[in-house]
Amino acid sequence: MRYNERELLSLARQPAEKAAEILMRVPKKGSVLKKRLVKLVVNFLFYFRTDEAEPLGALLLEHCRITKEEENVFSISFIEDPDRKYSFECDTEEQCQEWIEALRRASYEFMRRSLIFYRNEIQKMTGKDPLEQYGISEEARFQL
Amino acid sequence: EPHHPKEGQQISRTTVPICMKLHKTSVLGYSRSGMPPDRQGWLYKKSQRSSIYQPRWCELRGNLFFYWERQGDREPLGLILLEGCTVQLQESSTEPFTFQISYRQGLLAHQAYKLAAEDQASLESWVRILITASFDYLRALVTELEGQYRGNGLPALEDRVAQSSPLVAGVGWLDFEELHQQFGEEILMLQMRWREARGLGAQPVQGGLIDLE
């Protein structure tokens, strides 16, 4: 599958929703924890060597599971491949919880569900469809 | 023109060799998701190499635009990320119903994808949805609606779940994100409302009302 790496690189350079240096392990045999700069931008998680400007890798945060593991540790795995886990060891439990929360909300699908929820609630409360003013009320992607 | 290197290949035009690993399993999984895409159909895509327009089966999912050689092929031919891009109609008598996806800045300036639809209606509906496909756009919408929702005096989504609702009481404390994860999609919201409306007590939610799988 072709993709333009520069589109992702360009995204990786955008201001991040969240960024921190975290110990990370990739699901490869013999892989060890390494300190990485981890950066959340829209529904992508980029990770960099701490002294490099370009990311080592990018994870699309859709259809993924964010799991609290042991203390200070969370993991990301994907529904298609649940046993291969990206592991993150934070400095504190608080940091760990913040990242878990942020990552669970980071998917386009989560955003879409939130939109549908609020849209329906507002419609129930006010009798008006809040999306109508944006001209997108008929789109299937925002329907319940 | 955007350059589509094979995975691992370096792009010669930049000063820094790029070998970032995109976790493809997750992307491919999303492209094969059981849910219908946000938009799908045939478009013509101008080839970088030959400048010929080639038919491609296209599917938009979220902020990702996938295209296949044929509908039903397993792996997409390619992917276009729709963040920070502009989508513009092209005025051309030789290339009718064309539009362009281009990027504003930096690494991607001067790069564009040229696509063409079969007719005016298809052109307009694709352009309309691609313009509003970015995560940034959706997030802005959600923020706006969330503000309206709170402005009407109702507690925020998470606070509502924090108060005892029969569903949450039944499965023990789960935050909203975990519920989303475990049950997914709009089904959860439907289930919550169904149960609350009927005043149902704590019940386990696995094995739902509707068999979804």
Side-chain angles (χ1 to χ4, degrees):
Chain A
M1 182 187 65
R2 292 182 221 135
Y3 62 94
N4 187 339
E5 276 182 337
R6 270 180 282 187
E7 283 162 28
L8 280 167
L9 287 175
S10 181
L11 194 64
R13 292 178 180 191
Q14 300 306 309
E17 274 90 72
K18 209 165 170 58
E21 285 189 0
I22 300 181
L23 291 168
M24 180 181 170
R25 184 173 53 226
V26 300
K28 212 165 97 175
K29 205 163 180 196
S31 170
V32 295
L33 278 175
K34 296 215 174 109
K35 184 161 253 196
R36 296 286 180 243
L37 173 61
V38 174
K39 197 171 167 186
L40 172 63
V41 182
V42 298
N43 52 348
F44 280 88
L45 189 69
F46 296 99
Y47 52 96
F48 303 68
R49 283 206 184 91
T50 51
D51 57 349
E52 286 180 1
E54 309 295 7
L56 273 171
L59 306 178
L60 172 67
L61 297 168
E62 303 289 341
H63 293 186
C64 66
R65 176 165 286 264
I66 317 293
T67 311
K68 173 85 173 74
E69 307 284 353
E70 61 265 28
E71 194 176 353
N72 296 350
V73 178
F74 69 89
S75 69
I76 302 177
S77 59
F78 296 89
I79 289 177
E80 298 77 29
D81 204 358
D83 297 325
R84 293 184 76 241
K85 293 187 171 192
Y86 289 77
S87 228
F88 299 83
E89 186 176 309
C90 302
D91 287 333
T92 65
E93 185 57 32
E94 191 187 348
Q95 187 189 36
C96 184
Q97 287 302 332
E98 281 175 10
W99 273 95
I100 290 174
E101 238 184 79
L103 291 169
R104 284 181 179 163
R105 288 172 219 250
S107 69
Y108 191 100
E109 296 307 318
F110 180 92
M111 276 290 160
R112 192 208 305 269
R113 293 196 289 274
S114 303
L115 181 75
I116 290 169
F117 174 82
Y118 287 127
R119 179 191 187 183
N120 277 284
E121 290 301 305
I122 291 168
Q123 190 143 26
K124 275 178 6 203
M125 282 158 23
T126 67
K128 282 206 312 235
D129 178 0
L131 292 190
E132 220 166 299
Q133 65 172 123
Y134 304 109
I136 52 175
S137 47
E138 296 313 306
E139 290 188 14
R141 60 186 167 142
F142 299 138
Q143 307 299 337
L144 180 63
Chain B
E1 295 165 341
H3 179 60
H4 279 292
K6 292 208 174 57
E7 191 186 17
Q9 229 176 51
Q10 297 181 357
I11 300 178
S12 55
R13 271 184 278 174
T14 59
T15 53
V16 176
I18 300 160
C19 39
M20 177 188 64
K21 264 213 278 286
L22 170 64
H23 186 259
K24 282 177 103 182
T25 309
S26 57
V27 176
L28 291 173
Y30 191 50
S31 77
R32 287 196 276 269
S33 159
M35 302 178 313
D38 295 328
R39 182 141 180 83
Q40 60 186 0
W42 287 99
L43 287 170
Y44 297 94
K45 184 174 169 296
K46 195 172 194 178
S47 159
Q48 309 335 313
R49 275 179 287 255
S50 67
S51 289
I52 294 173
Y53 279 88
Q54 296 166 310
R56 297 287 180 242
W57 176 255
C58 301
E59 291 184 7
L60 173 68
R61 290 180 186 279
N63 57 349
L64 299 178
F65 180 91
F66 295 96
Y67 57 96
W68 287 257
E69 198 168 345
R70 277 173 301 263
Q71 183 180 9
D73 279 356
R74 189 153 171 79
E75 175 155 338
L77 215 50
L79 159 69
I80 301 173
L81 172 60
L82 298 167
E83 291 297 325
C85 62
T86 31
V87 184
Q88 292 161 309
L89 297 169
Q90 299 294 122
E91 301 294 332
S92 168
S93 50
T94 49
E95 298 178 345
F97 313 126
T98 49
F99 63 98
Q100 180 173 275
I101 300 174
S102 56
Y103 296 82
R104 287 184 277 265
Q105 40 166 296
L107 287 173
L108 297 163
H110 315 302
Q111 299 193 349
Y113 298 94
K114 287 203 151 93
L115 295 145
E118 294 274 21
D119 53 43
Q120 189 64 23
S122 174
L123 170 68
E124 284 174 14
S125 79
W126 269 107
V127 168
R128 223 185 0 253
I129 202 171
L130 289 171
I131 283 174
T132 55
S134 70
F135 187 98
D136 271 344
Y137 175 84
L138 180 59
R139 179 166 44 197
L141 267 185
V142 171
T143 304
E144 170 64 28
L145 291 202
E146 188 177 19
Q148 288 181 26
Y149 176 76
R150 289 187 201 229
N152 275 272
L154 279 182
L157 188 54
E158 293 101 70
D159 301 337
R160 243 181 121 207
V161 174
Q163 292 148 24
S164 54
S165 94
L167 178 70
V168 174
V171 297
W173 170 250
L174 283 175
D175 66 29
F176 195 71
E177 288 78 32
E178 283 183 88
L179 287 172
H180 267 308
Q181 277 201 110
Q182 289 194 27
F183 305 108
E185 314 307 328
E186 298 81 33
I187 308 305
L188 175 63
M189 292 185 203
L190 287 169
Q191 286 184 337
M192 284 172 74
R193 275 201 278 277
W194 195 93
R195 287 177 188 279
E196 284 174 40
R198 283 154 183 77
L200 291 177
Q203 285 184 25
V205 188
Q206 66 270 18
L209 308 159
I210 307 154
D211 187 8
L212 299 162
E213 293 302 349

